[in-house]
Amino acid sequence: MQARLPDYVADQIRDYIIGETIKAGERLPTEKELSDKFLVSRSTIREAMKILEAGNIVEIRHGLGSFVALNTGLSKDPLGLSFADQSRLLPELMEVRLILEPNIAKIAAVRRTEEDIAIMSKLISEMEMAVEQGGDYHAKDYQFHIAIGQCLKNDVLKRVYPVIFEAIEHGYKHTSNLQGSFSRAIYFHKQILNAIKDKNADLAGEFIEQHIKNTMLDIEKNTKGARK
């Protein structure tokens, strides 16, 4: 148990940074202050801070103290989204999708292979099957969008996938109970697939743009409904 204490304290300090909304570049309390706050030894605090530094959450400046890293990020949160303004996170994620995905779809329509088409077709079928069996389909939804990106064979693009995943994950939570949301989603997925299959870049981009905008409307409707 003692060997895991620094990891536990590191999580507590991370939660403290988020809870107190300590901004990037701001100085953290001293080692002694953190030791007193979390009721552990200063050596445990030092180990915890090393863990946080390795995760790019804090920056240790010798002789000056510890500061919140300028580009916070975690292995489970590579973009540091847990540090973002949560009230604006979903619309901003959807905006990023709207910027990225239509262009990705256009290029996918040019570079796709028959294997790519088969993968996307299978994912749509699995989405429909999941709903028929009373399950959720958002994992297959995510994989469908990833499959579009895979058509590009671009390793750098893979680093953007977490943004797309977060948007779909958050969007699903806001629309899964909204009547007709799945039927609208599956309609657009099929249209996007057909356009990519036909190598119609403009149409592929247009349909994915409509799909994302439609999802944004669903989220807005559901959010308004929850406030009533």
Side-chain angles (χ1 to χ4, degrees):
M1 182 69 178
Q2 185 65 28
R4 297 178 59 186
L5 185 58
D7 291 303
Y8 172 79
V9 174
D11 285 340
Q12 295 299 302
I13 295 173
R14 172 188 175 279
D15 291 343
Y16 168 73
I17 292 170
I18 296 172
E20 296 296 321
T21 60
I22 303 174
K23 297 178 180 179
E26 289 187 2
R27 190 177 186 277
L28 293 170
T30 65
E31 189 175 278
K32 183 180 185 307
E33 289 171 334
L34 290 172
S35 175
D36 292 340
K37 179 176 179 60
F38 296 104
L39 303 176
V40 294
S41 68
R42 293 176 70 171
S43 62
T44 298
I45 292 296
R46 279 194 291 274
E47 288 301 311
M49 296 305 280
K50 288 178 182 177
I51 293 168
L52 293 172
E53 184 179 42
N56 196 35
I57 297 169
V58 304
E59 178 184 354
I60 299 173
R61 302 176 191 171
H62 297 289
L64 296 175
S66 299
F67 299 76
V68 177
L70 294 177
N71 293 302
T72 48
L74 305 171
S75 57
K76 291 187 287 188
D77 182 18
L79 299 175
L81 293 176
S82 61
F83 291 88
D85 183 342
Q86 298 301 300
S87 66
R88 296 171 52 194
L89 180 58
L90 182 56
E92 289 184 352
L93 281 167
M94 296 304 293
E95 184 176 58
V96 169
R97 286 189 65 190
L98 200 54
I99 293 167
L100 293 175
E101 289 195 73
N103 288 315
I104 291 173
K106 287 179 180 180
I107 301 173
V110 175
R111 298 185 186 175
R112 101 297 186 278
T113 64
E114 291 303 317
E115 183 181 359
D116 292 323
I117 298 299
I119 290 170
M120 287 185 279
S121 297
K122 185 172 183 289
L123 287 167
I124 288 177
S125 296
E126 289 175 347
M127 284 176 64
E128 292 178 313
M129 188 180 301
V131 172
E132 287 174 5
Q133 295 175 351
D136 73 65
Y137 62 90
H138 73 294
K140 299 301 178 183
D141 189 332
Y142 160 62
Q143 291 172 25
F144 177 81
H145 287 267
I146 294 302
I148 295 173
Q150 295 282 16
C151 296
L152 276 63
K153 311 297 187 288
N154 185 317
D155 287 339
V156 175
L157 182 62
K158 292 178 183 178
R159 301 180 185 275
V160 184
Y161 288 169
V163 176
I164 299 173
F165 172 75
E166 287 289 340
I168 294 172
E169 182 75 9
H170 283 271
Y172 175 79
K173 291 175 182 177
H174 284 77
T175 64
S176 58
N177 296 320
L178 199 61
Q179 185 175 6
S181 62
F182 172 74
S183 60
R184 287 188 288 275
I186 205 71
Y187 165 78
F188 280 114
H189 280 208
K190 288 179 177 179
Q191 296 305 315
I192 292 162
L193 173 59
N194 288 336
I196 292 174
K197 184 177 181 179
D198 294 340
K199 296 190 174 183
N200 191 327
D202 289 337
L203 200 56
E206 183 181 328
F207 273 123
I208 206 159
E209 181 177 340
Q210 289 178 23
H211 172 42
I212 295 169
K213 287 181 177 178
N214 188 269
T215 301
M216 293 170 79
L217 286 174
D218 278 351
I219 291 170
E220 185 179 349
K221 289 176 187 175
N222 202 49
T223 303
K224 286 181 179 178
R227 290 172 183 167
K228 292 180 181 179

